[in-house]
Amino acid sequence: MTTRIIFAGFGGQGVMLMGQILSLAGMLEGKHVTWMPSYGPEMRGGTANCTVVMSDEEVASPVTEKAEVVVAMNIPSLLKFQDDVIPNGFLFINQSVIDRDSNRTDINVIKVPCNEIADELGNLKVSNMAMLGAVVGGTDIVSTDNLFKALEKKLGSKASMIEINKQAVMKGYELAKASLVK
Amino acid sequence: MTTRIIFAGFGGQGVMLMGQILSLAGMLEGKHVTWMPSYGPEMRGGTANCTVVMSDEEVASPVTEKAEVVVAMNIPSLLKFQDDVIPNGFLFINQSVIDRDSNRTDINVIKVPCNEIADELGNLKVSNMAMLGAVVGGTDIVSTDNLFKALEKKLGSKASMIEINKQAVMKGYELAKASLVK
Amino acid sequence: MAMQIIQKKPESLTDKEFTYCPGCTHGITHRLVAEVLDELGIREKTVTVGPVGCSVFAYQFFNTDATVAAHGRAPAVATGIKRARPDLCVFTYQGDGDLAAIGTAEIMHAANRGEKITTIFINNAIYGMTGGQMAPTTLLGMKTTTTPYGRNSNNDGYPIHVSEIIKETKGVAYLARVKVNTPQDVQKAKKAIKKAFLAQLKGIGFGMVEVLSTCPTNWGLDPVAALKWLDEHMVPEYPLGVFVDKVGDEQ
Amino acid sequence: MAMQIIQKKPESLTDKEFTYCPGCTHGITHRLVAEVLDELGIREKTVTVGPVGCSVFAYQFFNTDATVAAHGRAPAVATGIKRARPDLCVFTYQGDGDLAAIGTAEIMHAANRGEKITTIFINNAIYGMTGGQMAPTTLLGMKTTTTPYGRNSNNDGYPIHVSEIIKETKGVAYLARVKVNTPQDVQKAKKAIKKAFLAQLKGIGFGMVEVLSTCPTNWGLDPVAALKWLDEHMVPEYPLGVFVDKVGDEQ
Amino acid sequence: MPKVKGMIEINQERCKGCGLCISVCPTKVIEFSDSFNSKGYHPAEAKAMDKCIACSFCYHICPDVCITVYREIESA
Amino acid sequence: MPKVKGMIEINQERCKGCGLCISVCPTKVIEFSDSFNSKGYHPAEAKAMDKCIACSFCYHICPDVCITVYREIESA
Amino acid sequence: MAERVLVKGTEAIGEAAVRAGCRLFFGYPITPQNELPEYMSKRMPEVGGSFLQTESEVATINMVYGAACTGRRVMTSTSSPGFSLMQEGVSYMAGAELPAVLVNVVRGGPGLGDIQPAQGDYWQATKGGGHGDYKLIVLAPSTLQEAVDLIGLAFDLADEYRNPVIVLADGVIGQIMEPVTFPEFRDPDTLPKHDSWALQGAVGREKHVVTSFDIDPVVLEKMNFELVDKFERIESKEKRWEEYKLDDADVVITSFGTIGRISKSVVEKAREEGIKVGLFRPITLWPFPYERLEEIVKGKKLVLDVEMNMGQMLEDVKLAVKDNAPIAFYKRMGGMVPTPEEILNALKMELGR
Amino acid sequence: MAERVLVKGTEAIGEAAVRAGCRLFFGYPITPQNELPEYMSKRMPEVGGSFLQTESEVATINMVYGAACTGRRVMTSTSSPGFSLMQEGVSYMAGAELPAVLVNVVRGGPGLGDIQPAQGDYWQATKGGGHGDYKLIVLAPSTLQEAVDLIGLAFDLADEYRNPVIVLADGVIGQIMEPVTFPEFRDPDTLPKHDSWALQGAVGREKHVVTSFDIDPVVLEKMNFELVDKFERIESKEKRWEEYKLDDADVVITSFGTIGRISKSVVEKAREEGIKVGLFRPITLWPFPYERLEEIVKGKKLVLDVEMNMGQMLEDVKLAVKDNAPIAFYKRMGGMVPTPEEILNALKMELGR
Ligand SMILES: Cc1ncc(C[n+]2csc(CCOP(=O)(O)OP(=O)(O)O)c2C)c(N)n1
Ligand SMILES: Cc1ncc(C[n+]2csc(CCOP(=O)(O)OP(=O)(O)O)c2C)c(N)n1
Ligand code: SF4
Ligand code: SF4
Ligand code: SF4
Ligand code: SF4
Ligand code: SF4
Ligand code: SF4
Ligand SMILES: [Mg+2]
Ligand SMILES: [Mg+2]
C-alpha cells in the first residue's frame, strides 16, 4: 500500500514541518517514506507545499500528481490541490482560514478549526499540529505513538512545547475521528 | 612533387614575408600551396618561423617535421632546424649574422651574406629578399617571373621599394646559382 | 467639479501582476521605470534586459520588447543589443547578487566603456530569489541562510559599495544611490532614474541608479517594518547621493 | 681589502632563464618579489599562483611551490589555497588582461573579502602574450592590434584605473601603484611589494601592488625607449601613489 | 487652509495586503478589508475616503501598482 | 670625496642584450659586447670596470637578473 | 549499529562529505541545491572546516582548484547553469589531475530552463563539457542512502585517481527527505596526504608544481597519453551498476538516477501484468558499463531506455546494445518527472500490447 | 570569375563572414585565432559594422546573445578554454533559439594545454558542452576554401533554424595561408530580418520576448519538445560529408577537419602501395552522417578512425558502424599533427602488413 499526502498552505503555517513529522512517524512505523517539498519562486506570495509518500515498498517517485490525502491550510492551496485528491480520498480543510467549501463530492472532506484549537490551547503556533492530528485521526496512516515519538524527535529541546503540541494533535485527532463517525 | 620549406629567424627579419611571397609565387605558378607560421610565445625572444608547402597535388599536412629546404636567418634558427633537412636537401644560411657552420655534411649548404647585399643596395631591410632570391636560385622552385609578380603584389603600393627588392632578389639568386656551380 | 486622475498605473507596464512578495519594493522601482519610459515617450524603442533574481519575470511586466539575461550578464546582453541597434534604448534591471557578485566584471566594464545603456540596480542586501543567502551587500553581522552566525568580515568579506566603486570608471555619465521606502524618497528616486535614462538617450554614457530596496521575506520582517529597517541599517552603510552627473539639469 | 657581494640573484628565483623579451620589465618585478620573499624568509611557505599572460611561466621562475591559474582566476585559486592552508603565504602575479579584464570579478571580490593574499599586478597597457591586443589599461589613442585606428573611448571605453577602483573595497590592507623604469623606482617598488606581503603575513587583509611595466615588443619600442615612454605616457594616466596602507611602518 | 479633495481607487484583486499604503497615508484613509481577495489576502480598502487629500503617498509606496489617485478639479 | 670601488659580474649567457643596464650606469662602465652569446644576442659587458662605483643601478634595472654587484670593503 | 535518520538530500550529501573528511566547501547559491551550501555554512565551522560563499561559479571552481592543489578534500555543488560556468575550470582540474567532488543537482534546461528535476546534463557530465580530452568519473545516485554512500566513494575515487568526480543528482535527490544511515567519521589520519605533489610550501624539498599545460606539444602529448592511460585504468576497474530482476526478463529498462528508482516500480507493475521486465541501472555513468549491458541484452525482446532528457544516455545504450536488441526510448523533459504508470504504458505501446 | 587570393585562415573566415552580411563581431583574444578579431577590428569599421573587444569570453557570448536578439548576423571566435567559458551562454542561446556563428579554433587541451592544433573539443561541440538538451550545428572545414564556404552556410543555417552554429577549426586552419575564392557580398536586403520575434522596439505591435526559460515545467517541456522536433528536422536535412575514393576501397578512413585533408594523402600513398583505401569525412559533425557511413562500411575490411584527440568522433563512428566492420583508431594528441606517413604505418600495422 502506498499513501501520498500533500500538505499545502502559506509559508509561515508550518506546512513543511507537518510533512516531516509525519514522514518521521512513518519511518518509525517501519515504512518506506519520502518527503518532497515544492520549491522555487512559487514560495514567493503563493503556496508552500510538500508531498509525503509512505509505502510498504521502496518509494519510486516521490513526486506525484494525484494523492490519497490533501491538506489545505489556506484558500489558494484549496483551489490548487482539491482536484488532485483521488476518488474516495481525503481532503482536510483548515476551517479557521478557509471560509468556503470544496467543489468535490466524491471524497471525504474533513474541516478542522485549527486556529481555534490552537487558540484554546493558548498558542496559535500549534495550529498545524491540530491539523496533523486530524490527518492521522482521519486516515490512521501512523499510530499516535509513533506520531508522538516523531514529534518529540523533531521539536527536540523545547520540552515545554512538546506537551502543548501533543494536546493539539490529540484535539485534531479526536475531532477527525468524530467527524468520520458522523 | 612536394617541396617543404622552413624559413626561420628573429622576429624582425621578415621571415614571414619571405614565406608568403614564395607561396604567392607558387600559387601563380599553378601549384597547390600552403603557408603556416609557428605561433605563440615562442616568438618572444626565440625564433619566428614559417613553413611553406608547395605541391602538384592538394596539400595534405601544412605542418612538417622534415623539410626539403631550411632557411636559417640567425643562430638559434640554425641550431633548431638544421637537423630537419632531408638528406640531399638544402640549407640556406644568413652568413651576415651566423658566424658558424652547419653540422650537416649530407646536404647542400648555401651561405648568403644577406646584410651585406642589402647594405650594398642601400637598405638593410631587403636582406630577406636577398635570401629569398638565393632560395629560388638554389632550388628553382618557382620562376623569377612569378616571384617578381608575387613580390609586386605583396609590396603593393610602395612602387619605389619594388625595384630595390627585385635587385636584392636577383643578387641572392645569382649568388646561389654561382655557389651551386662550384 | 470633477475628479481627474493624477496617478495611475503607467502604460509601460503590462497588466501582469507582479510576482513579488507582499510589500517588496521591487514593485515600486518597476513602476518608477515605467513612469520614466512613459514620460520620455520611449516605450516603443526600449528593450528591457531582465536578470536572474526575483525580478526574472521583469520581461513580463514591462510593456517593451524584452529578454532575460543569464545571471549577472545583463550588461553584456544589453551591450550586444545596443551595438547592434544603437537607435534603441536598452536598460538592465539587476539585483545585488546578479550585479555585484557574479556580474561584477560585466557591470564594471559596461560602465568603463561608457556603454550607452541604463542600469537599475536593486540593492536589498540579500539573495531574494534563491531563499535569503548572503549577498555581497549583506551587512556585517546580518544573519542569512549562508551566514547562520552572522556575516563575519574575516570569513565573508565586507559589504560591497557598488556605486563608490563604479564612480571610479570613466564611462559613467550618471550614477546615484536612492531609496524607495518613503513616498518622498520614491519621488526622488524617479528623478534619478530619469537622469540615468537621459544619460543614454543623450549619448553621454552609462547611467545607473542603485536603489536601496526591501526584502521583507528574507529579512524576516513585515513589509512596514522592513521600510524602517532600511533606514536604520541600510542607509548608514550605503549613504544616498549622486556620485556622477554629466547629464545636467533638465529644462 | 676584499670584494663583497652586495646584490645578486635572490634565492627565491630558480636558475631558469626568464622567457620575457629583451628589456621587458616583467623580469624586474619577478626579481623584486623574490628579494622580498628572501628578506622575509618565507620562500618555503609560499605558493606562487601564476596567471595566463607572458608571465604564465612564473611557476618555473619562482623557487616556491606553484601553480598556474586559468586566465584571470588567480585570485580565486589563491583563495582556495589560502582557505585550505591559512598558514601558507600565497601570492598571485597577474597582467592587466588577466586581472583587469577577464579576472575583474575575482580580484574585486578577493580584495573585498580582505582575502589574506598578495597580488602583483603588472600594468603594461597591452596584452603581451597574445600579440599586442588592447588591454583595459591601454591608453586612449594607442594603436594595438585590435585598435588599429587607435583606442577610441566611444567604441572601446576608457583606460581602467584598477587601483583607484580597488581602494573602494574595504578588505584592502595595502595598495600602491609603482613603476620600475628607473633604478630608484625599482627600489621604491620593492618597499611597496614588501608591504603588500606584510599585509598578508600580519593577517590584516588583502595586499596589492600595481606595477607600471613596459612591453617593448608590443609597444614597438626598443627597451630603453620603452622606459621613457612609460614615464611620458603611462604615468600621467596612472599616477603613482599609496592608496591604502593599514600595515604601518616597519621597524 | 483650502483642503484639496481627493479620491483613490484600489485594485483589490491585485492588492497583496502588504499595508504599506496604510502606513503612509497621512490622513488614515485606508484600512485592511475584512474580506479576502481571491489570492487569499485581506486587501487595502479606502474606508475614510472623505479624508483623502490626493497627496498620492499611497500610490507612490504601493509596490503592486494597485492604486489610482484622483483629485477634484474645477470642471472645464 | 672618497670614491667607493665597485665591481660587477654579468652572466653573459643569460643576458638578452636589452641595454637597460647600459642606459642607467652613471659612470658608463657597461657596453655591448661585440660577440654573440648562444642565444644570438650581443650581451652587456663591463668594459670600464674601474669606473664602477657599486651603485647597483645596473642590477636594479636588469630584467634578467644577470648582474652581481660587489663592493670593496675593509677585509675583516 | 548506526542509526537511521530522516534527512534532506542536500543535507545528506553535505553530512556525508563531512564524514568523508571534507573540510572545504566553496559554493554559489542556485536552486535546487541551496540547502547544501546552507548546511555547509553551518556545519563547516562546527568541524573546524571552511565554508565560503563565492562570487560566482567561475570563481567557485577555481577556488576548488586552488584548495585541491593543497591535497585536502574539497567539494562544491551547483545546478546546471552553474555547472556550465565551471567547464573551463573543470577542464583545468582534470588536466592538472586534481581530486575534488563536484555535485550537480540538475534542473530543467537548456538556458535558464526551470528549477525542476531533470537529467539533461548527462552529456555534459560524461562526454566532457569542457575543452580537451579528459573524463570525469560520474556517479548517479537514485536514493538518498545511495547518495550518502556514493559521496564517500566519490572522495576516495577522486583521491585514488587524482581526478575530479561528479555526483550527478537532480532536484528529486536534492529536495527529498528519506531515512539514511551515515557512515562513521573518517579518521583524518587515514586520508591521503598527497605529499608527493601537493602545494604545501617547499620546506626542505624540491618545489612542487601543479599545472595543466606545457607549451611544448611533445610534452603535452605525453601528458595526454598518461591521462588516457589513467582513464583506461578507471574504465577497467570502476564500472558500477545495479541489475534488478533481469534473470528472467524479456524487456530491459535502462535508466539512471531518479528514473532508476521509478523504473523499479515499473518493473513491479509490469510483472503484475505478466510482462517480464528487468532494470539495468548504471551507477557510474562514466565509466559506462557497456560490456555488461551488451551481455545482458542479447536475446531480449526490447530495451527501453527512459530518461528525463532527449536521449542522452541513449547513445551509450546504443553503443552497448548495437544490433543485439531493438531499442525504444521514452522521455520526459523540462523538469517533468514521469510516473511509473506512464512508463508502463509506453512500454506496452512498444510491445504492441 | 572571382579571383583567387592567398589569405590566412583567420582572415578568410573573417572576410567570408563580412561577405555573408555579418556586421557584428565580439571577441576576446586567445591564440591561435587572434588574427580573426584583429582582422575584424580593422574591417568592421570599413563596412559600417561594429567590432568590440570584450572583457572575457563570458561577456562575449552574452553580447552575442544580445546582438542575436535583434535578428542581425553576429559572430564570435575563440579557442578551447574560451569556448568552455561560453557554455552557459551557448546553452541560453540554444534555448532561446538565437542564430549566431561561433568559431572555435581548437588548441591542445585539457586546461591551459598548449596553442597547437588539436581536435579535443569534438565532444564539447557535438554533445553539448553546456547544460540541458540542445544541439549546435557543427561544421568542420578541412581547407581554407571550405572554411570560406562553410562560413556562409553557417550563417544561413543559423538563420534558417534559429540555432547557433559552430565552425570547428583548429590551429592549422586558423594559421595557414592558402588560395581561396571569396563569394560575392550578400545583398543586405536578402538577409532574414526575423521581424516576427526579434527585439527591435515594440512599435505598433505586441512586445516580443526572447527567453530560454519558463518556470512552469509543463510549458518548458513543450519548449523542449519543439526544440527536439527542430533538431530532428536538422538531422534529416542537413547532414554533409565528403566521400573520397570509397567505391573500390577495402579500408575506410574516417576523419574530420585537418586530419581529413591529411588523410587524402594517406589514401594516395596507400594506393601507391596497392592498399585500396578511401576516405569518409563528415563535414557536419552534428548532425553526424550515421546512415551513410553505416551503408559504406558494410563488407569493408577495416575502418580506421584518425583524430587529434583520444577518440571522440570515434564514438559516433562506432554508433554508425556497429558490428558491420572492425574499427581501429589512430590518435595524436596535445597539439601534435600526424603525418600521412605515420597514419599509413598505423594502417598497415592494423592490416598486419
Ligand atoms: C549561473 C547561475 N548561478 C546561480 C543562479 C541562481 N540564482 C538565481 S537568482 C540568484 C540571486 C538573486 O539575488 P539578487 O540578484 O540579489 O536578486 P533578488 O532576488 O535579491 O532581487 C541566484 C544566485 C542562476 N540562476 N544562475
Ligand atoms: C579563457 C582564456 N581566454 C583567453 C586566453 C588567451 N590569453 C592568454 S594571455 C592573455 C592576455 C595576456 O595579457 P596580460 O594579462 O596583460 O599579460 P601580459 O602578457 O601583458 O603580461 C590572453 C587573452 C586564455 N589563455 N584563456
Ligand atoms: S524574496 Fe525578497 S526580494 Fe524577492 S520578491 Fe520576496 S521580498 Fe522581494
Ligand atoms: S610581449 Fe611584452 S610583456 Fe610580453 S615578454 Fe615581451 S615585452 Fe614583456
Ligand atoms: S492620496 Fe494621500 S490621502 Fe489619499 S488615500 Fe492616498 S495617501 Fe491617503
Ligand atoms: S500598498 Fe498596495 S498592495 Fe499594499 S496593501 Fe496597499 S494597495 Fe495593497
Ligand atoms: S654598479 Fe653602478 S657603476 Fe657599477 S656598473 Fe652597475 S650601474 Fe655602473
Ligand atoms: S640589463 Fe641585463 S639583460 Fe639587459 S643588457 Fe644589461 S645585463 Fe643584459
Ligand atoms: Mg538581492
Ligand atoms: Mg598586459
Side-chain angles (χ1 to χ4, degrees), chain B residues 4 20 23-24 27 31-37 39-42 57-63 65 153-154, chain H residues 3-6 8 31-32 115-117 143 171-172 175-179 261-262 264-265 337-340 342:
Chain B
R4 298 160 296 180
Q20 291 179 5
S23 304
L24 195 52
M27 178 183 114
K31 299 216 171 134
H32 292 272
V33 293
T34 69
W35 169 95
M36 169 123 184
Y39 51 84
E42 298 172 44
E57 301 137 49
E58 214 175 307
V59 176
S61 175
V63 189
E65 277 165 46
K153 189 131 193 175
K154 263 286 164 189
Chain H
E3 190 199 4
R4 285 176 88 216
V5 283
L6 186 70
K8 212 167 180 180
T31 312
I115 53 180
Q116 303 304 317
T143 66
V172 171
Q175 295 297 321
I176 56 173
M177 288 181 103
E178 273 181 348
R261 69 188 288 164
I262 295 175
K264 285 196 186 165
S265 294
V337 182
T339 60
E342 65 174 290

Side-chain angles (χ1 to χ4, degrees), chain A residues 43-44, chain C residues 19-26 54 124 126-129 214-218:
Chain A
M43 60 179 262
R44 242 165 307 290
Chain C
T19 40
Y20 302 105
C21 302
C24 171
T25 54
H26 259 303
C54 285
N124 59 8
I126 202 88
Y127 283 29
M129 158 72 89
T214 67
C215 176
T217 300
N218 288 300

Side-chain angles (χ1 to χ4, degrees), chain E:
Chain E
M1 189 170 93
K3 205 176 130 239
V4 181
K5 212 172 142 35
M7 184 186 98
I8 65 167
E9 250 172 38
I10 299 176
N11 181 339
Q12 290 199 327
E13 265 313 300
R14 203 176 159 112
C15 173
K16 291 178 189 152
C18 70
L20 296 194
C21 55
I22 299 174
S23 80
V24 300
C25 175
T27 59
K28 308 253 173 283
V29 172
I30 322 172
E31 284 176 45
F32 287 119
S33 164
D34 296 324
S35 57
F36 294 93
N37 65 12
S38 69
K39 287 200 288 264
Y41 296 115
H42 290 286
E45 193 179 311
K47 292 199 175 166
M49 191 76 89
D50 53 328
K51 293 197 242 162
C52 177
I53 56 173
C55 69
S56 295
F57 282 9
C58 54
Y59 168 87
H60 290 307
I61 208 73
C62 174
D64 284 281
V65 209
C66 307
I67 300 178
T68 307
V69 184
Y70 298 79
R71 182 208 292 259
E72 200 181 56
I73 48 154
E74 315 286 319
S75 46

